[in-house]
Amino acid sequence: MIPKDEYLGFLNTGKDKLNISGLQLWDPGVGNWFTFPPSSVMAPGGYALVLTGVQTGGMLSRVSDGSLAFDAWRGTAVLNNAGDNIHVVDPDSRSFIAAAYGDWKPLDPRDLATWGVANGPTRGLENFPREVRLLGEGEYFGDIVPGDAIQRKLDGGNTFTPTMGETPGGQNICFVAGTLIATGRGEQLIERLRIGDRLRTADGGLARLRWAGARRIAAADLLADPRLWPVLIAAGALGPGCPARPLRLSPKHRVLVRGAVAQQMFGVAEVLVPAVALVGAPGIARPRPPGAVTDLHLICDSHVVLLAEGASAEALYLGAMAQQALPPAALNEIAAQFPGILADVPHPAQPLVSPRKARRLVERHIVNDVPFQPAKAGFLGSQA
């Protein structure tokens, strides 16, 4: 069955396995709503996802690629859209961490008097262990809107980034196999590109392909989780002749959008927005794929905007979101090929718009019935 878009995700950033058996998740509305079962061991670079609000039939706990997924078996959602507090308790070490988002701030649930004054009823916290100590001061994830997810940036600090509702690590930023990419030798199927090929960029230049990766998503996984479905952009949906043919991208893959609305909102006519933010605009949807999907991602010496099916779409930008999505083996390859690039990410080719602001841009286009303008592209002829 299909889970609702509510989950908590934990990432093991260390080099060793991490045993999280017995850790408790607490919510001020329902108390201790989940405890990790025995043998909950995260592999290095692996995730542990806890889902709530799963529809009738649920999903079994499973282990895949060193990551864990659990159904909390609540049947209803736990986290509030407007804001909430999250507490993770380790009974063995008698400690806990606190986090909050939206219109709530991190508070210590051991102090029910203060909690009640600031956040109202303390239902669910009466049995919170009083002998545990708080690690740190609590973390504030930031604002959120329903449908968004928030992920910690891999910078070692207390900084977070919103995404368009995707499971951490569940979506790479990539093209779908079968996409035609403009090169110095004309348009080529993306899966036939080779390291060293010169790729056409939207500004009329050429960029050398330095690294390529691929991931196959099985049909069964796509059937189980619509969040994995690619975005389909119909021919002409981004302006006359843009794209020239239907274009399929992973949800987080950024597309260059141009027009007066972008100019009014961001002070520039062209911005890069996640493909999933475009869904709902005329000609842009996320239909269920008929079978398995193979995603491919491309890296050049710098972040560039390529021409895919005649539309302007980015090569892989190695920011926090991409680094969280790529598996450790791929990150190791990239780090060896481009020393220092994961810490010192190249400047983006065009302004990157956050998911929330991207959605507002698209909504303005829809409400005001303003069509997108095709991004200005360079010469698309062949070059020996």
Side-chain angles (χ1 to χ4, degrees):
M1 302 299 290
I2 299 171
K4 296 180 181 178
D5 293 336
E6 181 163 303
Y7 59 85
L8 288 179
F10 301 85
L11 169 64
N12 179 8
T13 60
K15 297 181 180 180
D16 301 317
K17 293 181 179 180
L18 181 62
N19 191 334
I20 57 174
S21 304
L23 293 186
Q24 303 171 355
L25 302 182
W26 285 76
D27 180 89
V30 295
N32 176 201
W33 60 273
F34 183 77
T35 299
F36 286 96
S39 302
S40 295
V41 179
M42 299 170 62
Y47 286 90
L49 301 181
V50 181
L51 291 84
T52 73
V54 179
Q55 297 176 8
T56 303
M59 61 176 289
L60 297 176
S61 301
R62 61 184 174 86
V63 180
S64 175
D65 299 327
S67 294
L68 312 175
F70 302 96
D71 178 0
W73 295 104
R74 290 197 51 81
T76 58
V78 171
L79 304 177
N80 297 317
N81 287 335
D84 213 332
N85 265 250
I86 302 163
H87 300 94
V88 183
V89 176
D90 182 358
D92 291 337
S93 67
R94 296 178 176 271
S95 62
F96 74 101
I97 58 175
Y101 63 89
D103 55 10
W104 287 47
K105 295 297 189 293
L107 285 175
D108 190 339
R110 297 170 301 177
D111 185 355
L112 291 184
T114 300
W115 184 280
V117 171
N119 286 336
T122 59
R123 181 171 56 88
L125 295 178
E126 297 85 353
N127 296 321
F128 189 89
R130 299 295 184 266
E131 71 280 6
V132 295
R133 71 184 190 282
L134 174 63
L135 301 178
E137 299 179 354
E139 299 173 305
Y140 180 62
F141 285 22
D143 292 330
I144 192 172
V145 297
D148 276 3
I150 298 180
Q151 299 178 15
R152 177 190 294 279
K153 293 182 179 179
L154 297 181
D155 58 4
N158 183 22
T159 52
F160 300 84
T161 181
T163 71
M164 288 302 293
E166 301 299 333
T167 299
Q171 272 296 331
N172 288 326
I173 301 167
C174 37
F175 300 95
V176 173
T179 301
L180 287 172
I181 303 293
T183 77
R185 298 178 288 109
E187 291 185 315
Q188 303 288 327
L189 283 171
I190 187 170
E191 53 264 45
R192 294 182 180 175
L193 296 176
R194 297 294 180 265
I195 303 303
D197 283 349
R198 291 181 294 177
L199 310 182
R200 289 282 178 189
T201 59
D203 61 5
L206 289 169
R208 188 78 64 178
L209 178 61
R210 295 287 302 278
W211 185 87
R215 185 188 69 156
R216 184 180 183 275
I217 306 176
D221 291 333
L222 292 165
L223 179 63
D225 193 348
R227 292 172 296 181
L228 300 175
W229 297 359
V231 174
L232 176 62
I233 303 176
L238 299 178
C242 183
R245 296 164 297 276
L247 172 65
R248 290 198 302 164
L249 301 167
S250 66
K252 294 179 183 176
H253 199 127
R254 297 183 185 92
V255 179
L256 194 67
V257 170
R258 181 172 184 267
V261 178
Q263 182 70 53
Q264 293 169 359
M265 290 183 64
F266 309 111
V268 291
E270 295 182 338
V271 293
L272 286 165
V273 303
V276 70
L278 300 170
V279 172
I284 304 177
R286 289 179 83 179
R288 190 178 81 185
V293 170
T294 298
D295 289 336
L296 299 103
H297 27 259
L298 311 174
I299 296 179
C300 300
D301 285 312
S302 61
H303 185 235
V304 294
V305 178
L306 303 174
L307 297 169
E309 304 290 3
S312 299
E314 66 171 344
L316 182 62
Y317 178 68
L318 287 169
M321 186 163 51
Q323 291 187 37
Q324 291 179 9
L326 289 169
L331 289 175
N332 291 337
E333 287 184 20
I334 294 169
Q337 180 77 8
F338 306 91
I341 195 171
L342 299 181
D344 188 15
V345 179
H347 190 74
Q350 293 283 357
L352 308 180
V353 174
S354 70
R356 185 182 304 177
K357 291 181 179 179
R359 189 61 203 165
R360 289 175 182 166
L361 179 148
V362 174
E363 288 172 350
R364 289 192 185 184
H365 276 273
I366 295 173
V367 170
N368 298 313
D369 194 23
V370 177
F372 295 109
Q373 298 179 23
K376 293 182 179 179
F379 174 67
L380 297 183
S382 63
Q383 177 175 329

